[in-house]
Structure formats: C-alpha cells, structure tokens
Amino acid sequence: MSDQNPVFIPGPTNIPDRLRAAMQVQTRDHRAPDFVETFAPVLENTKRVFGTRTGKVITFPTSGTGGWEAAICNTLSPGDTVLVARYGMFSHRWIDLCQRHGLDVQIIECPWGSGAPADKFEAALTADKARDIKAVLVTHNETATGVKSDIPAVRAAMDAANHPAMMFVDCVSSLASMEFRMDDWGVDIAVSGSQKGFMLATGMAILGVSPKALAAMETAELPRTFFDFRDMMAANATGGFPYTPPLQLIYGMRESLKMLFEEGLENVYARHFRLAEGVRRAVDAWGLRLVAERPELYSDTVSAIYVPDGFDSNALTDQAFNAYGVSFGIGLGEMNGKAFRIGHLGSLTDVMVLSGLATIEMAMADLDYPIELGSGVAAAQEYYRGHRAALIKTAA
Ligand SMILES: Cc1ncc(COP(=O)(O)O)c(C=O)c1O
C-alpha cells in the first residue's frame, strides 16, 4: 500500500490519475495525417505557459539535461564565452555541460542559498568591452537549495550594461508552477521538462526559443544532430517529427495543458505559493532553517531545510522512506548530509502536504530531533485554515 503515498521529491512529481490515463494510449502512427491535429496545438498552447507570443516551443525526447544541451549547441560555437553564476547543484551541472562542449565559461561563484547575482552580472557584462560574452545562463529555480532567482533583475542588469548577450534560463523546476514570463523578461531560451510542473512522466525536454536565439542558430557551429532545432522545426511545420516522437508523452502533455488552463495559471501559481508557505510555517515551528538565505529567494516548488548540527539529513530521508514509505529529497552536492528537501510542486493539495509534514515529523522524532511532534503540522494547518483554497475539481 505504501505505493499510494505521494512523493515529496522535487520532481519527478506525482502523476494525477487523469494524466496517467491520458498517457495510456495504444500506439498510433505519427506519420498518419491526423498526428498534426494532436501535436500542433500542444506546441501552440505551451507558449502560454512560457509566457511567449513571439517565441517558438521546441520539444525533444530527453530530460531537462538534454534541454540544456539543445539550448547551447544550437546557438553557440566552440570557444564562445558564456557567463554563469554557480549557486547550487543544477547551476553547477549546466556549467559542467558547457565546459565539456568547449565553451569558455566565465563563472561567478556564489554561496549556496543565494540566487543569481544581478549586480555581479552587470559588472561582468560592463567589463566585457569586446562583447565576447554570447549568453548569460541563469537557473531560475535552484532545486538543490530551494532558491528562486529574480530573472527580471538579471534582464535589467543586462540592459543596464547595454550588452547584446542572449539570456538562457533553466526553468525545469519552476515552469507551470511559478510565474514565468519569457517575453516580458527578455528570455532567449527557457529550458524545462515534462516531469515537474507538467506532472507527467520524465522524457520530454520543453524549450521556449526567442527569435533572437533562432537567428543565432543560423551561425552557431557547435555540432548537433539529434538536438538540431532546424530539423525539429522543419518537421514540426507540417505536424511531424524528425524521428519517432514520444507519443504517449505528447498525449499526456495535451491533457496536462488542459488541466493547467482549467485551474488557471494564476491559480496554479497561487496554489504553489500557499502550499510552500504552509511548509515554511512548519519549518519555522520546528525551529529549523531554510537553505534559502532570504524570503525573496524562497522557492514555491521546493524547500531545502538544514538539519540541526550533529544530525545527518541522509539518515532522516532514509528513516522516512524505510519506516513510512515516503520519499523526500536528499541534500545534493554541498548540501549532502546537511539538508533535506521537501518537494511541493505539481499535483498536490494542502491535505497531501500535511501528510508529508506529519511523516517527516515522525521520522525526526524517531531520530531524536529537538522538535515537538505535531508542531510543524499544526503551524501549517493554521495557515491553510486561514488561507483556504478554492476547491477546484478537475474534470475526469
Ligand atoms: C533546476 C533543474 N535543472 C535541470 C535539471 C535536470 O533535469 P533532468 O534530471 O530532467 O535531466 C533538474 C532536475 O531535477 C533541475 O531541477
């Protein structure tokens, strides 16, 4: 029965029954004339989630990491300079990927728990008189630390430096859960995936690509085959795919978009804020501390929480799993052993979050944490009672 428990990892997320059913389709011919009727509206409707009218949506059968690779290899050439700040495991891994592709990566080191340093970006861009920097890479929601970065502030920094670099944003763990406005924020490529806010199985990278990035594609010289935007766009133009598409995920995506629009994107964001705020109240009641340094950095999709000195966060997540059959996120990289993570994104309600808080409290009590059993749950209950959610029933 423990397979009925929700997961509290920050993706892949719980898959609602409605989406599991939507992905449960028999093979259909992706070269049949009716495939276009399924696929083209999916691409079109996904634009709304990115907040773009002028950009294109491009998908690949891969995970978010493949989306990072697609972003850089379609727009950059060997030896090009990119500017990026490292403040967690995912910004670190994107840096590593760029380095392995032969890019010159200018890195701004930041403490884990902080976010994208707009002021330092501005200084680096202003100092780049030769305009060598071709792209600024930003992780919107650092899933390892539960930190949300201010993308408009990065855009403002780029504008203040009057620098022509493109801006690429990793929104893998924020899109379809937290506000994202690709056009308004001047994002050139936004990289996401199917298994977080879209509540689907892993297997599809989903990118929003601006006209400026598409223009860069014409001269970019990094090698690409599977991830070539040009092949994908040429095939998509007639409703097709350059190779075999992940058909079941495309059907899932069609239904996921329906669910998101039925709830309303603004309500989706508000729900994520409310769920996250309940978790934050619980953390406070336990007397524990978030990894995110300041309230404006708090992520609404994942909270990374320091365990008290002398405790091992891996023992805590193991206890929750072994004793109660519930998964929480482990501490990644620098945070390993020091912090655990509660994922609160995708298909979740207040009631589900309360069950997660109750479970981690039991695991903490089992391991003699200095917390009062029930204190976090009570704090979240009070918050949820006072900020009751509209009961939204999604059609079956
Ligand atoms: C912010 C962020 N970027 C990138 C990735 C990598 O995505 P994937 O594991 O789908 O390759 C993840 C995965 O959790 C992530 O959270």
Side-chain angles (χ1 to χ4, degrees):
M1 285 301 280
S2 66
D3 60 357
Q4 296 292 307
N5 292 335
V7 291
F8 293 95
I9 54 174
T13 57
N14 302 293
I15 306 178
D17 289 346
R18 184 169 159 189
L19 295 188
R20 284 198 285 183
M23 287 188 281
Q24 226 11 289
V25 290
Q26 178 55 283
T27 297
R28 292 176 192 167
D29 177 10
H30 60 278
R31 300 196 198 284
D34 67 349
F35 181 63
V36 61
E37 289 161 27
T38 307
F39 189 46
V42 168
L43 294 179
E44 192 54 34
N45 291 335
T46 305
K47 286 186 187 176
R48 253 175 83 188
V49 185
F50 278 110
T52 185
R53 286 175 190 279
T54 57
K56 282 222 171 277
V57 170
I58 302 180
T59 69
F60 292 102
T62 178
S63 72
T65 306
W68 284 338
E69 183 158 335
I72 65 151
C73 70
N74 278 284
T75 52
L76 300 170
S77 299
D80 274 357
T81 304
V82 296
L83 177 65
V84 53
R86 173 161 37 211
Y87 42 84
M89 196 62 187
F90 292 98
S91 40
H92 165 73
R93 285 185 44 211
W94 205 3
I95 288 169
D96 175 53
L97 185 142
C98 291
Q99 288 171 328
R100 292 202 222 174
H101 276 81
L103 297 174
D104 172 17
V105 187
Q106 195 174 322
I107 304 169
I108 301 173
E109 299 289 352
C110 303
W112 288 34
S114 66
D119 52 343
K120 292 190 177 148
F121 279 143
E122 184 177 335
L125 292 165
T126 306
D128 178 34
K129 300 288 179 227
R131 301 307 192 221
D132 286 329
I133 296 170
K134 296 292 179 270
V136 178
L137 276 45
V138 192
T139 301
H140 181 210
N141 192 67
E142 184 39 93
T143 320
T145 56
V147 164
K148 169 189 67 175
S149 281
D150 186 346
I151 304 299
V154 176
R155 168 44 61 197
M158 295 175 70
D159 292 347
N162 196 20
H163 200 289
M166 294 175 283
M167 173 161 51
F168 298 166
V169 177
D170 170 338
C171 55
V172 172
S173 60
S174 54
L175 194 74
S177 311
M178 283 156 55
E179 183 180 49
F180 197 84
R181 310 179 82 85
M182 183 171 158
D183 288 358
D184 293 349
W185 297 349
V187 176
D188 291 298
I189 301 190
V191 178
S192 196
S194 49
Q195 79 275 23
K196 305 223 186 211
F198 290 108
M199 307 168 283
L200 294 167
T202 313
M204 202 153 83
I206 305 161
L207 290 87
V209 185
S210 76
K212 184 169 164 181
L214 290 177
M217 171 184 82
E218 299 302 339
T219 50
E221 287 173 5
L222 277 177
R224 72 265 202 194
T225 309
F226 185 80
F227 288 132
D228 200 321
F229 284 172
R230 293 165 300 190
D231 295 343
M232 186 55 81
M233 285 193 306
N236 288 174
T238 54
F241 228 74
Y243 33 75
T244 313
L247 195 83
Q248 282 73 8
L249 274 170
I250 290 170
Y251 278 92
M253 190 69 186
R254 182 172 71 171
E255 199 64 20
S256 169
L257 290 164
K258 273 193 210 157
M259 283 182 73
L260 291 168
F261 297 152
E262 276 167 21
E263 185 173 352
L265 287 176
E266 294 305 322
N267 295 329
V268 171
Y269 307 148
R271 174 168 56 83
H272 281 83
F273 173 80
R274 209 187 54 256
L275 295 175
E277 193 55 29
V279 171
R280 295 190 276 260
R281 302 288 168 115
V283 172
D284 204 39
W286 293 327
L288 300 183
R289 193 163 58 88
L290 289 167
V291 174
E293 285 174 350
R294 296 186 305 282
E296 64 269 27
L297 299 175
Y298 293 167
S299 161
D300 288 339
T301 60
V302 53
S303 296
I305 302 151
Y306 283 116
V307 295
D309 287 344
F311 288 83
D312 173 5
S313 63
N314 291 324
L316 180 64
T317 48
D318 283 353
Q319 178 69 10
F321 185 77
N322 293 330
Y324 305 109
V326 179
S327 288
F328 292 84
I330 62 164
L332 296 176
E334 274 184 26
M335 294 297 131
N336 192 252
K338 293 188 196 158
F340 68 100
R341 294 172 301 149
I342 302 181
H344 33 79
L345 76 161
S347 176
L348 276 182
T349 63
D350 304 359
V351 170
M352 291 161 88
V353 169
L354 288 171
S355 75
L357 295 173
T359 306
I360 202 75
E361 274 188 354
M362 290 194 287
M364 287 196 273
D366 295 345
L367 298 176
D368 295 326
Y369 274 56
I371 61 134
E372 191 187 330
L373 193 66
S375 60
V377 172
Q381 284 172 322
E382 282 305 334
Y383 180 76
Y384 293 145
R385 287 176 65 226
H387 298 79
R388 212 163 290 164
L391 288 180
I392 295 164
K393 294 191 183 138
T394 53

